[in-house]
């Protein structure tokens, strides 16, 4: 087995690079994994699904158009509720 020595600064830099790669791959994996139906969504996820800002989503909550749960300062939405709202407001084509 061959053994090579590197400087401590180079080793720390290499560790930092590997750590950044791990964080990025984990982030990408969570974005591309299929979601389990019936799960809970964060505000950011719902904003992305509906293509609205957080302010618009807050307006919908206040108008009671979207049901939600709140734990502390964190707001959660049931995925099935969001899907139901999307289905209920579907505009069908004239095919």
């Amino acid at each position: 087995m061959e053994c090579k020595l590197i400087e401590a600064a180079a080793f720390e830099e290499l560790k930092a690079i590997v750590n950044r790669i791990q964080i990025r791959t984990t982030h990408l994996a969570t974005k591309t994994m299929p979601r389990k139906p019936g799960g809970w969504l964060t505000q950011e996820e719902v904003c992305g699904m509906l293509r609205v800002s957080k302010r618009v989503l807050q307006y919908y909550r206040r108008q009671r158009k979207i049901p939600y749960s709140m734990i502390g300062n964190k707001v959660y939405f049931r995925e099935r509720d969001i899907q139901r709202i999307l289905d209920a407001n579907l505009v069908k084509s004239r095919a």
Side-chain angles (χ1 to χ4, degrees), residues 41-43 61 68-77:
L41 303 170
T42 63
Q43 285 187 114
R61 284 189 356 239
Y68 65 96
S69 290
M70 194 164 193
I71 300 175
N73 291 332
K74 199 79 168 145
V75 179
Y76 297 97
F77 303 86

Side-chain angles (χ1 to χ4, degrees), residues 1 3 8-9 12 25-26 31 44 58 65 67 74 84 89:
M1 176 187 285
C3 183
E12 292 302 320
T25 55
T26 303
K31 285 180 79 173
E44 293 78 17
Q58 182 182 5
K65 293 183 180 198
K74 199 79 168 145
R84 181 181 45 80
N89 290 291

